[in-house]
Amino acid sequence: MSQPSLLARADFDSLIRALAARGYRVLGPRVRSGSIVFDEISGAADLSAGFISVQEPGSYRLEDSGNGRYFDYVHGPESLKRFLFAPKETLWTVSAGGEVSFKETLPDLRPLAVIGARACDLAGVSVQDRTFLAGQHSNYTDPYYACRRENLFIVAVNCTRSAATCFCVSMNTGPRARAGYDLALTELDEAFLVEAGSEQGETLLADLPLKPARDVDETAATQAIAAAADSQTRRLDTTDIQALLFSNLEHPRWDDVAERCLSCANCTMVCPTCFCHSESDVMSLDGTASEHRREWSSCFTLQHGYIHGAQIRPQIRHRYRQWLTHKLAAWIEQFGASGCVGCGRCITWCPTGIDLIEEVNAIRATRIDTPAPFASLFPPG
Amino acid sequence: MSANAKTFNPYLPQLAAVVERVDETRDVFTLRLCLHDAQARAAYRFQPGQFNMLYLWGVGEVAISIVSDPDDPDLIDHTIRAVGRVTRGLQRLKPGDKLGLRGPFGRGWPLEAAQGRHLLLITGGLGCAPTTSMIHYALQRRASYGRLTVCHGVKHPDDLIYTDRIQTWCAAPDTQVMLTADKGTPEWRGRVGLVTQALEDIDPIMFKGMAMMCGPEPMMVSVAEDLLKRGMMLTDIHLAMERNMQCAVGHCGHCQFGGKFICKDGPVFPYAQLRALLAVRGF
């Protein structure tokens, strides 16, 4: 949208202060419990600097990066999901004192700015938009999501490193942020290359002590992002993925993965796109009012497949299969896009290190392709 | 949109009142409801096969199909089996009691495609409820449809509900009702056996028409496959599905069936869309 500018590392504070001055609550990456999470910051000094994350299937470890950079850590367990689709919230209340009446409880929010969203996180938001905002793929707008969406200012960071579990390149979502951000930063040695992606972002730039970026800065940024892309070794082959998975629903690999899967739901909690939630009522102690709440749920729980006395997906193999076929295949039918953005969090945060790419590869390598009518569901092309 | 802009909230129930509760069997009852707000009442329209979310104060919501006549949307009937916390609570409601209602949701029976066709309605157990408003719809517009055959199966004769309505249907022109119970009693005058076996006795001309089904999934699959063998077109078989629907608008994810959401793409589906997955356990 705009020509890139340069923000000196020493001036990074000005970005945080400019956002705060405009009324935003500002969140940025900080270390908590051994990983990076988004937490409240009032200045650059609050940011965690000098960390890289070493991510492997079932493992996440922060290490000293040997430099003072803020964003070399790549990512933590959190995407932008919880800022738009709240992990737990009250949808409405109902009171029975006298007349019964229902009252919606839309969040009354102070605008929020999140610094440090990655390209995969932006892709995750764009996927969730298809679920929660009315349009081609949804008949109804979720007013709670929409409200938060309108109040979120996103400062994206282009990745100049990849974790070993990253595969955004093969999902075509990163490592460069393409759209959906207000500002995008690329961290260089002594400065940040800054680009605006929205009018609000453009306006905010006017508050910052920027210098025009030189060609050499832009080249350095482009090369660093390209190097991050080149360093990714994980690739998810999505060729023919709907037919592949739905023609192999009785493949023995589902039994194999079920031996390793704990059905703990971690993968769905860290996934930027998983949208399942369940609803429940919480009655006030005096019995005069009740809150109707929703909270994140998961297809790995038994509650998810419960229907009056019966369990639709009683075995772990059913539940893992439900998750993977939905994420990578059924999602395309539902929303015209894959449910996977290649962030690799489900691989890192799986306690037993299950790698969905390996599962797909294993099925592809020994596919048994049940004949029609499965194949007819997803004609080639 | 600003933070305060008013967006229609699809999760927010409207206030409704119980007009009447009819106890159909020991654990099945029909709630006749009326929306409290006059404007909401005037605006409420539904199609046969659609469902509402009913909210019981302090307990929660359940998805229940609408069984009444779409021509009379002031009174909205729901036939419910008391099986869980919400439904057992709903069973205790009395006329005048308040509850929440939001809807209607989903895609109902294919009314237009069914015009001029013979209609074969095959139901098992409480599956008769979602088809009832279709039967009424067709009988109210008798000339628009061909022959009507209702084949209704129950486990035990005591499970039979809607006996008054069934008698009315029996008396309607060009309409046949077949009742079947898995186990008979000395008083039972219908067939004894599974509803799937009743197809033997149906006039083959009905297999040139359209089938609409609701009941347990294995029963629907078995009947649908049998209908195909008897020459019915795959595209003429429709079924109403059931899942754990919580939001009713395709957001909560509980009712997914492959690439379909039962709540918004259904609950009524052409069998062709579900056939492959219905053959797989665990979806």
Side-chain angles (χ1 to χ4, degrees), chain A residues 104 142 281 321 326 333, chain B residues 6 9 55 256 260 281:
Chain A
E104 66 177 352
D142 177 317
D281 264 61
R321 185 180 67 183
H326 180 221
E333 182 184 346
Chain B
K6 190 73 189 151
N9 190 334
Y55 171 75
Q256 293 178 81
K260 303 279 182 272
R281 187 160 177 262

Side-chain angles (χ1 to χ4, degrees), chain A residues 245-250 254 304-305 307 311-315 317-326 329-330 374 377, chain B residues 217 241-244 253-260 262 274 276-283:
Chain A
L245 295 182
F246 276 96
S247 305
N248 287 278
L249 295 172
E250 303 295 1
W254 302 115
H304 196 278
I307 177 167
Q311 185 50 247
I312 286 165
R313 293 182 279 274
Q315 298 168 15
R317 71 186 287 270
H318 299 142
R319 302 203 282 281
Y320 189 87
R321 185 180 67 183
Q322 168 67 25
W323 178 71
L324 197 70
T325 55
H326 180 221
F374 295 107
L377 285 174
Chain B
E217 283 170 29
M241 292 282 287
E242 199 178 8
R243 277 291 182 275
N244 177 358
H254 283 76
C255 71
Q256 293 178 81
F257 190 73
K260 303 279 182 272
I262 302 298
L274 307 183
L277 275 190
L278 276 170
V280 182
R281 187 160 177 262
F283 266 88

Side-chain angles (χ1 to χ4, degrees), chain B residues 44 46 49-52 64-68 76-78 104 129-130 133:
Chain B
Y44 188 89
F46 71 91
Q50 285 191 300
F51 67 95
N52 283 324
I64 304 286
S65 66
I66 309 166
V67 301
S68 50
I76 317 164
D77 291 357
H78 308 79
S133 69

Side-chain angles (χ1 to χ4, degrees), chain B residues 29 34 89 93 102 104 125 160 167-168 201 205 281:
Chain B
F29 57 100
C34 179
L93 293 181
R102 58 189 178 99
L160 188 70
Q167 277 180 358
T168 323
D201 296 345
I205 199 165
R281 187 160 177 262

Side-chain angles (χ1 to χ4, degrees), chain A residues 180-215:
Chain A
Y181 56 84
D182 295 291
L183 292 178
L185 312 175
T186 312
E187 188 168 24
L188 303 172
D189 283 335
E190 289 308 320
F192 295 88
L193 196 72
V194 186
E195 293 158 272
S198 71
E199 272 181 44
Q200 288 100 309
E202 197 85 56
T203 317
L204 196 96
L205 286 187
D207 298 354
L208 305 183
L210 300 172
K211 284 186 232 146
R214 300 162 299 170
D215 285 351

